[in-house]
Amino acid sequence: MERTFAIIKPDAVERKLAGQILARIEEKGFTIAGMKKIQLTRKQAEGFYYVHKERPFFNDLCAFMSRSPVIVLCLEKENAIADWRTLMGATNPANAEPGTIRKDFAVNIEENSSHGSDAPETAAFEIPYFFSALELV
């Protein structure tokens, strides 16, 4: 069993799409091991996205991620990281496959409705950034 980290981003939460995204997650066989709705501070967003701090989009990304609540998730299943990335679709919704979360729900490349760990090492950082061991079942 593998775990991955996911975020339903502000654009999707604001448009009340979380339920539809959660339904897709469960339909694809994921177990939700942890879930909570939170409001990130600017500092928390900067800490989470620190790997992008030198990129030109860093400030806009942190402002976006802290503008309104998000839903953070720890998802579990065999091949969870790759399967979640497939379900999300390409970062740019214009390039995403039909039926993916980003193709169906994203506003644009910046407001693309979802985030997911891209590797086991990333998941190992991201999951405990938001969840204690006691919060995962």
Side-chain angles (χ1 to χ4, degrees), residues 105-116:
F105 300 126
V107 175
N108 54 46
I109 192 169
E110 288 86 21
E111 298 189 18
N112 62 8
S113 300
S114 59
H115 165 87

Side-chain angles (χ1 to χ4, degrees), residues 66-123:
S66 60
R67 82 176 184 201
S68 63
V70 299
I71 297 172
V72 294
L73 303 128
C74 177
L75 305 177
E76 188 175 71
K77 76 180 282 218
E78 293 294 329
N79 207 35
I81 294 169
D83 288 357
W84 173 236
R85 295 195 65 77
T86 297
L87 180 56
M88 282 193 307
T91 302
N92 184 344
N95 301 331
E97 294 292 322
T100 62
I101 290 167
R102 289 174 171 161
K103 185 66 160 186
D104 295 346
F105 300 126
V107 175
N108 54 46
I109 192 169
E110 288 86 21
E111 298 189 18
N112 62 8
S113 300
S114 59
H115 165 87
S117 302
D118 61 1
E121 300 77 21
T122 310

Side-chain angles (χ1 to χ4, degrees), residues 15-86:
R15 292 179 292 134
K16 302 188 184 327
L17 299 172
Q20 292 178 62
I21 294 171
L22 290 168
R24 289 185 184 199
I25 288 168
E26 290 188 323
E27 287 166 6
K28 291 295 182 181
F30 290 92
T31 297
I32 298 173
M35 177 172 68
K36 54 187 164 181
K37 185 176 185 180
I38 61 170
Q39 172 73 53
L40 289 172
T41 66
R42 174 67 187 229
K43 289 262 188 237
Q44 288 169 325
E46 289 172 355
F48 182 72
Y49 286 109
Y50 80 96
V51 296
H52 299 302
K53 67 182 174 192
E54 301 303 322
R55 302 231 175 138
F57 59 82
F58 179 74
N59 284 327
D60 289 343
L61 175 62
C62 292
F64 164 61
M65 291 300 294
S66 60
R67 82 176 184 201
S68 63
V70 299
I71 297 172
V72 294
L73 303 128
C74 177
L75 305 177
E76 188 175 71
K77 76 180 282 218
E78 293 294 329
N79 207 35
I81 294 169
D83 288 357
W84 173 236
R85 295 195 65 77
T86 297

